Structures are given as C-alpha cells and as structure tokens.
C-alpha cells in the first residue's frame, strides 16, 4: 500500500495548465528584469505532457497534464562570463532575497552549473549552464500535474524570441500574439 501512495499523481490544485504557465512566465520575467545587459533569448519551448503516474509511469490521469517551459539564451552568449557566471550568481542572490528556496550546484572544476529556486506556490526555475545556457520552469521541482484547461493559452514569449523560434503545443493560441 505504501508503494501505491508514492506512485499516485501529484496534482497541484492551485493552478490549471494555463495559470501555471502564466506564473512560470511571470517568475522568469521578474528574474530577467534583474539581469544587467540581458541579451534576450534565442528560443522558447512550451511543453504539455500527459500526467503519468504508477510504478512504471504508465498510468495517465485524465483531464490533467504537466507544463514545462524552457528559454535558451542566444548561442553567441553561451561563453560570455556575464551569462555563465554573473547572471546565475545574481539570480541566486535575488531569489534568496525574495525568500525562495535556492540551491546552487557546481561542476568538478568549481564552476557554477545550475542555480534553482522554488517558490512557495511550487513554481521552480532552473538556470542551467551546461554547454548551452537555459532557464527551465516547472511545478513542484518536477513534473507536477495540473488540471488541463480546454482553452490552453500561451503568453507571448519573453526576451525577444521570434515566432520561428517559439515552440508551443500544436493548435495553441499565443495570448497577444
């Protein structure tokens, strides 16, 4: 019985998928506003996946999904110390000052590889510096299920992402786009 309880879906009752994505976008917008000389983003990926659970993650919870969001910095900035070192350190300080739970990971050389922050509402941001530089967002520090909105809407992308580099679920409308 304990194994069953551990494998059931984690449903966040605070958001539906449209609301969760809007909260993720807002958290990223607040964060990048703190970055001096921000170069913008090259691309955005919005991903909706089935709410899978069970021992083998082969059971789907109808009417629910998970939301994932990723923004990739321009390739020309991936080696820039401002983007690789200064930004993640600045975000860690900003997120701590905002009262979020913050973790900082470093690679074997001591270089910063990931900074993450999870807010009280479960929205998590992950600034990853591994070759490319990416900011990811999700719920609950992982795939947490939310109620699916029949009229799922995606906010306009942040950081100057052009439509040809904005990957959103097929048939989805961009709000204000």
């Amino acid at each position: 019985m304990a194994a069953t309880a551990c494998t059931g879906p984690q449903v966040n009752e605070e958001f539906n998928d449209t609301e969760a994505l809007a909260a993720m976008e807002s958290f990223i917008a607040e964060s990048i506003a703190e970055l001096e000389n921000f170069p913008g983003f090259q691309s955005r990926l919005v991903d909706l996946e089935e709410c899978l659970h069970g021992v083998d993650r082969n059971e789907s919870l109808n009417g629910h999904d998970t939301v994932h969001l990723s923004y990739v910095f321009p390739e020309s900035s991936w080696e820039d110390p401002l983007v690789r070192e200064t930004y993640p350190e600045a975000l860690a300080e900003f997120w701590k000052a905002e009262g979020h739970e913050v973790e900082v990971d470093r690679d074997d050389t001591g270089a910063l590889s990931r900074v993450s922050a999870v807010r009280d509402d479960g929205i998590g941001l992950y600034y990853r510096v591994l070759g490319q530089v990416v900011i990811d967002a999700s719920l609950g520090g992982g795939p947490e299920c939310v109620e699916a909105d029949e009229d799922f809407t995606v906010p306009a992308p942040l950081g100057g992402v052009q439509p040809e580099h904005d990957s959103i679920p097929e048939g989805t409308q961009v709000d204000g786009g």
Side-chain angles (χ1 to χ4, degrees):
M1 187 154 197
T4 308
C6 293
T7 60
Q10 293 181 336
V11 176
N12 184 314
E13 303 289 338
E14 214 170 309
F15 301 106
N16 65 31
D17 51 13
T18 296
E19 296 163 341
L21 179 61
M24 292 173 192
E25 292 274 3
S26 176
F27 193 7
I28 291 175
E30 293 166 11
S31 298
I32 62 175
E34 297 297 313
L35 303 178
E36 187 176 328
N37 298 317
F38 176 66
F41 292 119
Q42 179 175 320
S43 63
R44 171 177 77 165
L45 171 64
V46 176
D47 194 25
L48 289 178
E49 297 177 1
E50 288 182 82
C51 174
L52 297 176
H53 61 97
V55 175
D56 296 323
R57 296 191 49 78
N58 59 356
E59 298 176 48
S60 179
L61 182 62
N62 287 336
H64 291 77
D65 54 28
T66 61
V67 182
H68 303 273
L69 172 64
S70 295
Y71 277 97
V72 178
F73 280 80
E75 186 173 354
S76 61
S77 71
W78 294 351
E79 297 302 321
D80 185 341
L82 184 68
V83 173
R84 295 189 76 78
E85 300 164 14
T86 305
Y87 285 177
E89 291 171 3
L91 288 175
E93 291 305 313
F94 171 67
W95 292 337
K96 284 179 190 174
E98 293 292 304
H100 306 314
E101 181 181 323
V102 176
E103 289 185 17
V104 176
D105 295 326
R106 297 188 180 278
D107 65 18
D108 294 341
T109 68
L112 213 146
S113 60
R114 184 177 79 107
V115 176
S116 64
V118 179
R119 298 190 318 193
D120 289 340
D121 63 3
I123 300 290
L125 287 189
Y126 311 89
Y127 190 104
R128 296 183 297 120
V129 181
L130 302 167
Q132 62 181 334
V133 180
V134 179
I135 294 182
D136 295 309
S138 64
L139 265 168
E144 192 169 341
C145 302
V146 291
E147 185 177 337
D149 180 357
E150 287 182 20
D151 299 316
F152 181 70
T153 305
V154 175
L158 301 169
V161 172
Q162 297 300 304
E164 63 270 18
H165 298 291
D166 190 19
S167 179
I168 62 175
E170 192 173 319
T172 301
Q173 294 299 312
V174 176
D175 193 21

